[in-house]
Amino acid sequence: MAEPGSTESTLLRGTAIFAAAVTVVLYLFGLLLVGLAVSQVGSGADSTPMSQCRYALDRPESVQVDAHQVQFMPPRVLCRTTDGREFTSEVVPFWLNPTLAVTFAATVVLTAAAFVQADRRAAARWATTRS
């Protein structure tokens, strides 16, 4: 016979593991996109500065792109203009980083809840053996 609450505990742990897996997959997808874009810089005609910086929608008007900077947390590429302004390139889709933040928060909350539930089950087991 299964212990009371074991089904809920298994479901909670499984959901936490699934949320963690989704977070890892999304993060690796973002890193892949950034890596592919940066690997094309400097390898061919019309490749410097990176085209994602030159043709970005939020690029300031009538300025020249000077350089780019890769950030890994969150995965993105910042483009820098000759006058020092920065803007985000469109290497990583706009929805990826907010979704990554939500899945990471869900992973933390679900993992904490699983630990609390496991602690409560252990305390209840200990109380029944002491009686």
Side-chain angles (χ1 to χ4, degrees):
M1 185 166 141
E3 290 183 42
S6 66
T7 303
E8 293 84 6
S9 178
T10 302
L11 180 64
L12 195 57
R13 281 191 312 246
T15 307
I17 291 169
F18 178 74
V22 169
T23 302
V24 167
V25 167
L26 286 174
Y27 184 70
L28 291 176
F29 178 63
L31 288 181
L32 177 71
L33 292 174
V34 169
L36 287 174
V38 171
S39 72
Q40 295 174 359
V41 175
S43 60
D46 198 34
S47 64
T48 303
M50 66 188 318
S51 63
Q52 290 88 345
C53 289
R54 285 182 290 159
Y55 302 116
L57 294 176
D58 60 343
R59 182 176 71 98
E61 289 295 321
S62 68
V63 293
Q64 189 171 0
V65 176
D66 183 31
H68 67 274
Q69 176 186 3
V70 175
Q71 292 187 339
F72 296 106
M73 198 57 82
R76 65 181 178 167
V77 176
L78 288 176
C79 303
R80 193 173 317 119
T81 61
T82 52
D83 61 357
R85 290 186 275 180
E86 290 184 343
F87 60 95
T88 305
S89 71
E90 298 167 356
V91 171
V92 177
F94 71 93
W95 55 266
L96 186 85
N97 287 327
T99 307
L100 188 58
V102 169
T103 59
F104 179 75
T107 300
V108 170
V109 168
L110 289 167
T111 302
F115 275 112
V116 167
Q117 188 171 27
D119 188 43
R120 287 182 181 166
R121 285 182 58 216
R125 246 183 286 141
W126 187 77
T128 56
T129 59
R130 299 273 297 160
S131 306

